[in-house]
Amino acid sequence: MPASPRTARVINDRLALDHLLREGPLTAARLKELTGLSRPTVADLVDRLTGAGLIRIVGESGADRRGPNARLYGLVAERAHLAALDVRTSGLALVVTDLLGTPLAEVRLPIDGALGTVPAVERAVSLLDATLAEVGVDELQSVCVGAPGLVDPATGELRDSTGLPGWHRRLVRALQGHRSARVLVENETNLAAVAERRHGAAQDHDTFVLLWLGHGVGAAVVLDGTLRRGTGGGAGEIGFLPVPLTSSLPSATDCGGGFHSLAGAAAVHELARRHGIPVTRARDDADGREEPASATAVRAAFEAGTAGELFLDELADRVALGAAAVAAVLDPGCVVLAGETGEAGGEALAARVGKRLAALSPLRTDVRPTRLGGTAVLTGALLTAQEDARDAVFPAAS
């Protein structure tokens, strides 16, 4: 059935707003080209959206052009404000932006492991309040929290996980009850995949897998442009994958003996020690957080001559086992190596893994290093918050 005039208007308005969000300020003529709508229809929707306070004139197109046809229309960025949090075991990073994703403030909070759950949550919430006050933001439309662990797709709750700080789950609850914003929670690896697809190594792939190599290991699965979480949020829990070269099998409560035992930080650090790679201390990353010993070992390997080459070769053998399992089940065509260890390995590790994967699997799979590195999780959280805010602020057909 054809859409009613009202529904058609809402659909057209939303289409134009989406283009303005993705591509920035546009002229009415450019909106006509992008939407395929007639000139009168575009003129009507521009008037409607301007009257609704969703768009405004932000300039003119071309240094020598003047008049109505040259007007550039842009979204009213302050119509909504967002926050994104990257929560780690040792602290968190926070960014507050407007609707367009323009950062208004970005801060970081280290949290000592000895600090209790309640004080840790209080410090995090106080940081958010102080940051909002500093930039003059009264309310948030959407907040996205990226954290390690399982997130229940049905409830959006961060599930209790052994080995992770208790303040993670308590912080989510505190945020949900503290402000009127909609609070979203997503696994950090999934958010890294969202970011790599939009701005990073997987921009040219609708289907790919992001393999996270850091303190632990994990994977994010994107199929046909959609992030796949699984029935219980466990899609990509590759740390539990049984693999050769381990002395035992993983269990429902312990990933020891699984892929984690080959590619997790402790295992990679031990591999480096056996190859004589000097790892004197874990270094702090660009955000001031202590990177896992595995990443420090990989960086040291590039300066360790033959021993470093042998270490990187054996590490690539291990990573390729997990990548081969992913390829055999999903045939993603592309695997992105992310996390601190993947970032440290860069193109050199990715090339080694790709060569070994080609020998293990008949399926052609491009192996690439992360382009976004340590910013991927926070970037993915911001993109997720922005998408949620867009759905709330922009018109929706009933």
Side-chain angles (χ1 to χ4, degrees):
M1 294 179 61
S4 68
R6 178 184 179 279
T7 299
R9 286 194 297 270
V10 170
I11 292 172
N12 293 339
D13 290 354
R14 178 63 182 265
L15 183 61
L17 288 166
D18 285 344
H19 282 300
L20 287 165
L21 181 62
R22 287 195 301 268
E23 303 190 30
L26 300 169
T27 63
R30 181 59 177 152
L31 277 172
K32 177 180 177 296
E33 292 176 9
L34 291 171
T35 61
L37 300 173
S38 68
R39 188 181 300 274
T41 300
V42 170
D44 286 344
L45 73 82
V46 165
D47 287 342
R48 247 189 338 269
L49 296 176
T50 302
L54 289 169
I55 69 172
R56 64 187 170 201
I57 298 172
V58 296
E60 292 185 332
S61 175
D64 300 325
R65 298 185 61 185
R66 294 293 184 270
N69 292 335
R71 290 172 182 165
L72 280 169
Y73 295 92
L75 292 176
V76 177
E78 62 270 23
R79 182 64 182 260
H81 292 94
L82 324 169
L85 289 87
D86 177 6
V87 177
R88 304 293 180 95
T89 55
S90 57
L92 60 87
L94 163 70
V95 61
V96 176
T97 78
D98 59 24
L99 181 59
L100 294 177
T102 304
L104 304 177
E106 187 167 352
V107 294
R108 303 184 185 276
L109 175 68
I111 294 181
D112 192 306
L115 190 66
T117 296
V118 173
V121 172
E122 289 176 346
R123 287 190 186 181
V125 173
S126 295
L127 176 71
L128 176 61
D129 287 341
T131 303
L132 294 178
E134 182 179 336
V135 297
V137 172
D138 295 325
E139 295 295 338
L140 293 169
Q141 177 66 49
S142 302
V143 177
C144 182
V145 181
L150 291 173
V151 178
D152 190 321
T155 65
E157 290 187 11
L158 184 64
R159 293 166 57 179
D160 193 13
S161 301
T162 57
L164 294 176
W167 62 266
H168 285 191
R169 296 184 74 219
R170 189 73 67 86
L171 173 61
V172 171
R173 292 176 183 170
L175 293 175
Q176 289 170 335
H178 180 63
R179 290 196 169 262
S180 60
R182 175 173 161 82
V183 178
L184 312 168
V185 188
E186 185 59 86
N187 173 267
E188 61 179 356
T189 305
N190 287 344
L191 291 177
V194 168
E196 293 286 355
R197 182 168 185 261
R198 180 73 66 87
H199 299 303
Q203 292 180 69
D204 57 340
H205 279 270
D206 288 336
T207 295
F208 72 99
V209 168
L210 181 138
L211 193 58
W212 183 275
L213 306 171
H215 288 286
V217 296
V221 179
V222 177
L223 301 178
D224 299 325
T226 301
L227 180 67
R228 303 294 182 179
R229 299 175 177 84
T231 303
E237 284 296 315
I238 198 171
F240 288 88
L241 178 73
V243 291
L245 306 181
T246 59
S247 59
S248 61
L249 291 173
S251 70
T253 58
D254 184 4
C255 56
F259 183 58
H260 176 86
S261 296
L262 292 182
V268 176
H269 187 202
E270 172 60 22
L271 178 66
R273 188 194 63 77
R274 288 200 284 107
H275 280 277
I277 306 299
V279 183
T280 55
R281 61 175 294 274
R283 61 173 241 173
D284 291 343
D285 64 16
D287 297 330
R289 294 179 297 211
E290 185 179 279
E291 72 174 9
S294 55
T296 308
V298 170
R299 296 182 195 280
F302 290 115
E303 307 295 330
T306 301
E309 293 292 318
L310 293 173
F311 161 74
L312 291 171
D313 286 343
E314 189 169 348
L315 175 59
D317 289 339
R318 294 182 174 199
V319 175
L321 287 176
V326 165
V329 175
L330 298 174
D331 187 15
C334 177
V335 171
V336 176
L337 302 185
E340 297 90 346
T341 308
E343 180 186 3
E347 187 61 50
L349 180 61
R352 282 175 164 85
V353 173
K355 181 179 179 180
R356 285 153 178 78
L357 181 56
L360 288 172
S361 171
L363 305 172
R364 295 186 61 181
T365 307
D366 187 16
V367 180
R368 304 174 177 181
T370 172
R371 284 187 190 171
L372 301 179
T375 67
V377 176
L378 199 59
T379 300
L382 178 57
L383 289 169
T384 301
Q386 190 179 46
E387 180 96 1
D388 183 75
R390 181 194 69 175
D391 289 341
V393 173
F394 290 178
S398 57

